[in-house]
Amino acid sequence: MPVDQVLANCFEAQGGLATLKAVQSRHLTGHIEGLPDPVFFDQLNARPDRIRLETRTEPKGAPASDQTKTFDGKAGWAWSSADAPRVLEPEEVKVLDADFDGPLLDAAAKGNKIEFKGLQEFQNQKALVLKVTLKDKRVQTMYFDPKTFLKFAQVNGEGKAGVELDFWDYQEVDGLPMAYTVIIGPVSVRVDKITLNVPVSDADFQPPAKK
């Protein structure tokens, strides 16, 4: 199967290209399990490649702490309930990952290279495997169910340095299937709610004004 056909099937499984590109924003709320203290998150993504991620940690017997990171398409910032805004370093922006559509959609225009590695065994099941080399040379290997064409796993990096993410509990949001659980080792990221096409403004992705 040529890589273009694999991608076409994957996009169709996600709702189709036209539907995917019609989504202008995503708002996710949820919590993270498996950490020493309870953590809650609120994430807003919007075109073109903007993101705002707020996290709240609630340690037992201590005050809660809040942290916010944003990227407006050109620059990023971070601040917390205790620290004033600072500019994000380039590596921090990469980790924040503001790519609204992900690396597969419009890959060539983004400078990403995609290779189809065939049908392989992964996690005791068959998987269609795509190797993605990002413009900055980082590598992501994605594993798709050959029946549903939905991604069930991804490894960021190569060899022993690779970090595996497992995608579970797909639910439809306005007709689009989305994973509500992402497992990273002992940690589980649980999405409680996803809302599409919420109103956004430029201020959502900027640091707070100085007092």
Side-chain angles (χ1 to χ4, degrees), residues 2 28 46 55 83-84 89-90 94 102 111 151 158 166 177 180 207:
L28 295 78
T55 56
D83 300 309
E89 298 294 334
K94 289 180 184 179
K151 182 170 65 176
E158 298 181 280
D166 300 316
Y180 270 63

Side-chain angles (χ1 to χ4, degrees), residues 1-21 104-107 114 116 128 130 144-151 177:
M1 188 182 301
V3 66
D4 287 348
Q5 185 60 57
V6 177
L7 290 173
N9 289 341
C10 291
F11 294 145
E12 189 61 31
Q14 295 175 57
L17 278 176
T19 304
L20 289 171
K21 291 187 175 183
L104 299 182
L105 192 56
D106 296 328
I114 303 175
F116 177 45
L128 295 166
L130 292 178
F144 295 83
D145 186 310
K147 295 181 179 179
T148 65
F149 286 94
L150 293 176
K151 182 170 65 176

